[in-house]
Amino acid sequence: MAEVLIGSEEYFKGIGKIHFEGKDSKNNLAFKFYDPSQTVAGKSMADHFKFAVAYWHSFCNTGNDPFGDGPKQYPWDQSSDILTRAKNKADAAFEFYTKLGVNYFCFHDVDLVDEGDADLSTYRKRLDEITDYTKAKMDASGVKLLWGTANLFSHPRYMNGASTNPDFHVVAYAGAQVKNAIDATIKLGGENYVFWGGREGYMSLLNTDMKRELDHMAQFLHCAKDYARNQGFTGTFFIEPKPMEPSKHQYDFDAATVIGFLRAYGLDNDFKLNLETNHATLANHTMEHEIQVAVDNNMLGSMDANRGDYQNGWDTDQFPVDLYELTQTCLILLESDGFQGGGINFDAKTRRNSTDLEDLFIAHIGGMDAFARAMLIAERILEESDYKKIRKSRYSTFDNGSGAEFEKGNLSLNDLSKIAHSSSHPSLISGKQEMLEYLINQYI
Ligand code: XUL
Ligand code: CO
């Protein structure tokens, strides 16, 4: 990776390349635990995580909320000319990636360059120009695209959904937008392509034919996949589950729902999951649950890292800091093959009142350090403790004898009944939950 790539103007003045300084460092602008070249469980930290920066939160979002405009005025966002503004934003983004030392980024089409009131062909010209500009920056820096996507939820035309819109004209428009976003992703060598169904859901069943909308969504995904494959795209498509917000009911509710959907519509060979922590929280799941469901179904593609707020029931997209939770996530990553194609995208934003430019660095450094520390802890738990043994031994009655025959499908309900009748009453075996919870703390 190139050292630091600065455009015509340096935006993050006074901040240089971020280095690993070790756990005793007091420098906010240094890594204490994330050392990209350090090997954990046979792989470098950089390869385990494949950290990515989200274009939308980091360089577009000015901190607006339902109660007021965003207080953040980015120096790269000041030109009145759309393409100049987009290029300045790209300059700031690549300065940030290369200073931080992340190898990947992710974008929505309209993050790269504003759509405004442009018609489709005007927007396509803008996208072609900004992707030329972006590609040159990628080539110069070595920074890669983890995934691209289309924003099919912000523009008012999508108020009733995109691929699930009851009006075919909107579905076709969404098709044009996805075609552009796939072209941009391929042009930039994107390793994956994401669908987050922002408004693919409904507010009221009274005006909704759910079956027909789901059929349309599947048909749309087939069209997108077939187009991308014909254009030579070999990466993986990801669906990003979320149970609600902005719709009341979103079709891609959680990992299990999406896996069922993909299988029902024959999409499971091309699609995997991009799981987001805050979305898991909104679905009343833990992130560990969502990741384990994906792993068990060979569907763990990528992750949008953030955290929600346990008191507020909405998508606060805060940066991850909770070691106890992240350790449990890393335990599953280390016990499985990790991400298939994807990595860890910080779909997280600094708070509305975090208005210093350095806050963006500190937030990412803190998130990367939290993951690195959690991974090191998880490695020790797996290597040094009885964690795996305790869980495995809970199932030891299935390892041989009648239990093993049951697992193989060799026992009928009558057989189970006979075995129960000829055995003594089952004894009570402790689940040892507190012991395992405490074990995690002992390694943190
Ligand atoms: C919204 C969300 C999106 C997707 C990409 O909750 O997570 O930013 O990650 O569209
Ligand atoms: Co996300």
Side-chain angles (χ1 to χ4, degrees):
M1 194 163 132
E3 266 310 277
V4 165
L5 194 67
I6 293 172
S8 46
E9 182 186 334
E10 183 172 16
Y11 290 105
F12 300 95
K13 289 195 190 73
I15 298 178
K17 180 101 187 157
I18 307 299
H19 294 290
F20 170 72
E21 293 184 0
K23 70 177 170 45
D24 295 328
S25 167
K26 298 271 184 287
N27 179 1
N28 279 328
L29 294 170
F31 295 113
K32 324 288 181 301
F33 296 92
Y34 178 65
D35 177 1
S37 59
Q38 183 178 343
T39 302
V40 189
K43 220 159 72 170
S44 73
M45 282 194 183
D47 287 346
H48 270 294
F49 296 128
K50 286 172 75 180
F51 285 125
V53 174
Y55 222 86
W56 52 104
H57 284 316
S58 296
F59 310 109
C60 309
N61 186 311
T62 55
N64 58 311
D65 69 13
F67 303 93
D69 291 342
K72 302 182 197 193
Q73 294 187 343
Y74 295 128
W76 52 83
D77 208 18
Q78 301 309 315
S79 170
S80 55
D81 178 66
I82 289 180
L83 269 158
T84 306
R85 205 163 62 233
K87 288 177 184 174
N88 290 345
K89 186 159 55 166
D91 284 353
F94 278 83
E95 182 188 327
F96 183 78
Y97 309 147
T98 52
K99 284 183 168 176
L100 184 64
V102 287
N103 295 327
Y104 288 93
F105 69 106
C106 300
F107 68 77
H108 300 87
D109 47 358
V110 299
D111 304 334
L112 291 184
V113 59
D114 294 344
E115 181 181 14
D117 48 15
D119 60 24
L120 275 171
S121 40
T122 308
Y123 184 72
R124 173 68 195 221
K125 279 198 206 103
R126 279 182 200 163
L127 194 62
D128 285 344
E129 196 168 333
I130 196 63
T131 45
D132 284 346
Y133 191 79
T134 307
K135 188 168 183 330
K137 297 212 146 255
M138 293 173 71
D139 291 344
S141 63
V143 173
K144 294 175 278 189
L145 176 61
L146 190 65
W147 51 260
T149 188
N151 178 327
L152 304 178
F153 42 90
S154 295
H155 195 282
R157 79 173 74 87
Y158 296 122
M159 67 179 188
N160 291 310
S163 71
T164 61
N165 198 295
D167 176 6
F168 171 69
H169 298 95
V170 179
V171 177
Y173 204 105
Q177 210 184 315
V178 167
K179 180 179 175 299
N180 284 340
I182 288 175
D183 288 345
T185 301
I186 294 174
K187 177 171 166 183
L188 299 180
E191 297 182 11
N192 308 279
Y193 186 87
V194 163
F195 290 89
W196 170 57
R199 294 184 198 274
E200 311 293 30
Y202 66 87
M203 308 301 274
S204 167
L205 258 193
L206 295 173
N207 63 8
T208 303
D209 184 336
M210 184 156 51
K211 171 80 172 72
R212 214 165 170 187
E213 292 198 0
L214 279 167
D215 288 349
H216 293 171
M217 184 160 85
Q219 192 52 46
F220 187 91
L221 293 174
H222 272 287
C223 291
K225 180 241 324 161
D226 292 344
Y227 173 77
R229 292 289 182 235
N230 278 332
Q231 300 301 304
F233 179 67
T234 54
T236 306
F237 301 92
F238 297 146
I239 304 263
E240 184 175 326
K242 186 175 182 183
M244 63 182 108
E245 199 194 6
S247 305
K248 174 171 168 58
H249 300 271
Q250 285 190 198
Y251 294 136
D252 300 328
F253 191 95
D254 62 0
T257 310
V258 172
I259 291 168
F261 167 84
L262 292 173
R263 289 200 180 128
Y265 288 98
L267 290 159
D268 47 319
N269 285 333
D270 296 274
F271 285 76
K272 295 199 182 296
L273 302 178
N274 179 39
L275 297 173
E276 177 163 326
T277 319
N278 204 160
H279 298 179
T281 310
L282 291 174
N284 277 335
H285 295 310
T286 61
M287 185 58 166
E288 306 87 82
H289 168 88
E290 289 292 84
I291 293 186
Q292 192 68 60
V293 169
V295 164
D296 291 345
N297 287 280
N298 194 27
M299 281 283 179
L300 181 63
S302 204
M303 166 173 181
D304 271 10
N306 54 26
R307 75 181 202 275
D309 181 296
Y310 291 121
Q311 285 75 47
N312 291 345
W314 66 83
D315 199 8
T316 57
D317 283 348
Q318 290 163 250
F319 275 83
V321 290
D322 189 323
L323 276 184
Y324 199 88
E325 289 179 358
L326 292 173
T327 299
Q328 294 179 70
T329 292
C330 288
L331 280 171
I332 305 173
L333 292 180
L334 288 182
E335 282 195 279
S336 67
D337 294 331
F339 301 114
Q340 299 193 38
I344 296 181
N345 168 48
F346 286 108
D347 193 357
K349 56 189 175 210
T350 54
R351 297 302 85 194
R352 176 178 162 83
N353 57 354
S354 297
T355 45
D356 292 341
L357 286 181
E358 73 160 12
D359 295 334
L360 193 60
F361 274 92
I362 295 170
H364 282 85
I365 293 167
M368 292 160 80
D369 258 350
F371 268 98
R373 200 170 166 190
M375 176 84 56
L376 292 167
I377 295 164
E379 184 192 33
R380 283 181 49 231
I381 291 174
L382 292 175
E383 275 180 4
E384 298 170 20
S385 81
D386 282 343
Y387 164 70
K388 269 164 68 172
K389 218 165 82 190
I390 296 167
R391 191 180 47 199
K392 190 171 182 315
S393 75
R394 288 191 79 205
Y395 300 89
S396 60
T397 53
F398 293 92
D399 290 344
N400 42 49
S402 300
E405 290 307 309
F406 171 79
E407 276 196 348
K408 285 186 216 139
N410 293 339
L411 298 186
S412 66
L413 196 63
N414 265 329
D415 295 330
L416 296 182
S417 175
K418 269 188 221 145
I419 293 165
H421 276 96
S422 62
S423 317
S424 51
H425 200 271
S427 47
L428 300 180
I429 305 174
S430 169
K432 303 311 268 182
Q433 181 173 329
E434 294 78 8
M435 193 178 91
L436 287 160
E437 286 171 348
Y438 176 43
L439 182 145
I440 306 255
N441 260 350
Q442 291 173 64
Y443 282 84
I444 286 182

